[in-house]
Amino acid sequence: MELDLQPLKLPSDNERPVVIAGPCSAETEEQVMTTATQLAKKGCHMFRAGVWKPRTKPGGFEGNGEKALPWMKRVKEETGMLVTTEVATPEHVELALKYGIDILWIGARTSANPFAMQALADSLRGVDVPVLVKNPVNPDLELWIGALERINQAGIKRLAAIHRGFSSYDKKIYRNLPMWQIPIELRRRIPSLPILCDPSHIGGRRELVAPLCQQAMDLGFDGLIVESHCEPDMAWSDAAQQVTPDVLDYILSLLVIRDESVSTEDIRELRKQIDELDNQLMDLLAKRMRVCREIGQFKKEHNMTVLQPARYGEILDKRGAQGSLCGMGADFVKKVFESVHEESVRQQMEIINK
């Protein structure tokens, strides 16, 4: 996957990853300035605040709109920080640029809508401004890449992605499931694209912010965008996931930043072992599928159904238990064998339908 990108040089003190911090919403001028001043004293270089807030249901605080933009301009003038806010419509883009917003970000609800993304792309044509694109609410990598492509094709070359997790109906520890494999695949597909992590929206609770920040650094993310409020418990939106500037500073001070400059020569032999084991796995899977096709032929000759639910359940339970004994998560092993079984059924169906 190729995008026409230029380096996105975001300010950093070189001792920490790139960090964008600020409250979920720009509530009042006093709240904005107090939070921004505290963050600037902690060494933060970029300030975020939502001016327009998409709410799931009507009646919630939906932001102050244009009224809050002069507050953001004041933050920039008095602290020297760059300022960024979310835009969801061409009108938002026009107003944000009018008031000198340095960086625009596009939210998860918007990136999931190709029509909205195209409208934003059209409004950005001819403008030179960095744009950050959050992942769509649903775990669809192609939709995320499509949103980035639309903005890039409008001429925006300073692009970055924000991983904020994915919505799920089930109750869970996280507000939005991290599903790290999706941003990892995005990095593989577009290596030159910077990726920031939003631990606030992934976690949904302030006690999860620190471990998620560390996990993002362990996975090689380029930076963080964290919600920070001078009085989090009094916040008008997303109070539970915001931290004070003092707490954020403490979290960042404890981060372990992995050294990306270490030569891979030291692990070359271990990687060779992995390659050999992968080859053995492929050989075993091929043999397993051959047996499955023989079973498919038997089922065809004896007019049996392909799917045998009792046998399927037995396989998953047995292999999950074996996985636990071998030091692997039972859920992981079950997922592997679900995929293996799905391919087995597909191959048997081919035999039966010949």
Side-chain angles (χ1 to χ4, degrees):
M1 178 63 60
E2 291 290 336
L3 293 180
D4 184 10
L5 300 177
Q6 292 178 353
L8 178 59
K9 297 179 180 179
L10 299 176
S12 171
D13 59 13
N14 295 321
E15 296 177 0
R16 293 174 176 168
V18 168
V19 176
I20 302 173
C24 173
S25 304
E27 301 161 359
T28 67
E29 186 171 10
E30 180 183 9
Q31 168 251 5
V32 166
M33 292 309 302
T34 299
T35 306
T37 300
Q38 292 178 7
L39 287 168
K41 288 180 179 178
K42 299 297 182 183
C44 185
H45 301 288
M46 290 175 284
F47 181 79
R48 58 139 292 155
V51 171
W52 299 277
K53 298 299 300 180
R55 299 288 90 187
T56 301
K57 294 181 179 180
F61 176 62
E62 296 185 335
N64 282 298
E66 185 177 1
K67 175 184 173 182
L69 289 171
W71 310 341
M72 301 289 281
K73 186 176 181 181
R74 185 182 166 196
V75 167
K76 181 177 177 179
E77 292 171 349
E78 296 186 16
T79 70
M81 288 192 288
L82 299 182
V83 292
T84 177
T85 197
E86 178 178 352
V87 292
T89 69
E91 292 75 18
H92 293 171
V93 171
E94 181 181 356
L95 286 169
L97 296 177
K98 174 183 174 182
Y99 284 90
I101 298 297
D102 298 291
I103 303 166
L104 308 179
W105 90 74
I106 298 172
R109 292 176 175 87
T110 308
S111 65
N113 184 337
F115 292 114
M117 287 305 306
Q118 190 59 54
L120 285 174
D122 293 341
S123 70
L124 287 164
R125 200 171 299 277
V127 177
D128 182 19
V129 61
V131 177
L132 317 177
V133 181
K134 288 194 173 186
N135 61 258
V137 291
N138 48 313
D140 187 335
L141 177 59
E142 299 306 323
L143 197 57
W144 196 0
I145 291 175
L148 289 159
E149 286 179 335
R150 289 178 189 276
I151 298 300
N152 189 229
Q153 288 175 4
I156 301 297
K157 298 184 179 182
R158 291 185 291 164
L159 269 178
I162 298 176
H163 173 49
R164 51 78 79 189
F166 301 92
S167 298
S168 172
Y169 179 77
D170 299 325
K171 290 185 178 180
K172 54 205 177 301
I173 183 174
Y174 299 112
R175 176 179 177 181
N176 295 296
L177 296 176
M179 301 182 71
W180 299 106
Q181 70 274 18
I182 293 179
I184 289 172
E185 176 62 11
L186 178 65
R187 168 60 52 83
R188 188 190 71 79
R189 298 265 294 271
I190 315 177
S192 59
L193 179 73
I195 306 179
L196 310 181
C197 180
D198 180 349
S200 306
H201 280 89
I202 292 175
R205 305 201 309 273
R206 60 179 64 102
E207 62 267 26
L208 294 176
V209 171
L212 285 165
C213 285
Q214 185 59 61
Q215 193 164 1
M217 293 301 97
D218 292 344
L219 291 171
F221 279 64
D222 300 284
L224 304 163
I225 178 167
V226 187
E227 291 190 343
S228 181
H229 192 294
C230 56
E231 295 183 90
D233 290 331
M234 304 299 293
W236 296 1
S237 59
D238 288 349
Q241 66 191 40
Q242 301 191 63
V243 298
T244 65
D246 282 338
V247 169
L248 176 59
D249 184 61
Y250 180 68
I251 290 172
L252 297 176
S253 72
L254 296 178
L255 280 184
V256 178
I257 308 301
R258 308 300 175 187
D259 190 350
E260 296 182 344
S261 65
V262 176
S263 172
T264 59
E265 291 294 323
D266 297 334
I267 58 173
R268 175 172 290 183
E269 287 304 315
L270 293 173
R271 286 179 169 172
K272 284 178 63 177
Q273 291 181 42
I274 290 292
D275 289 340
E276 291 170 5
L277 290 168
D278 284 346
N279 289 335
Q280 292 175 33
L281 281 173
M282 291 299 295
D283 287 341
L284 287 171
L285 282 171
K287 291 176 182 177
R288 190 186 193 281
M289 292 304 162
R290 186 180 68 243
V291 175
C292 286
R293 290 193 293 273
E294 291 177 6
I295 292 173
Q297 185 63 40
F298 180 89
K299 290 176 178 177
K300 180 178 182 179
E301 292 171 358
H302 294 80
N303 198 30
M304 295 174 62
T305 59
V306 168
L307 187 60
Q308 302 287 317
R311 171 62 176 160
Y312 180 40
E314 177 189 347
I315 290 174
L316 293 185
D317 291 341
K318 185 182 293 184
R319 302 301 175 241
Q322 286 179 320
S324 297
L325 291 174
C326 294
M328 295 179 285
D331 287 343
F332 160 71
V333 174
K334 283 186 176 181
K335 287 180 181 177
V336 169
F337 276 89
E338 283 173 357
S339 296
V340 170
H341 185 265
E342 182 179 343
E343 177 61 15
S344 300
V345 169
R346 187 190 69 79
Q347 296 211 14
Q348 290 186 25
M349 287 293 292
E350 286 186 352
I351 296 293
I352 286 180
N353 290 321
K354 280 185 178 179

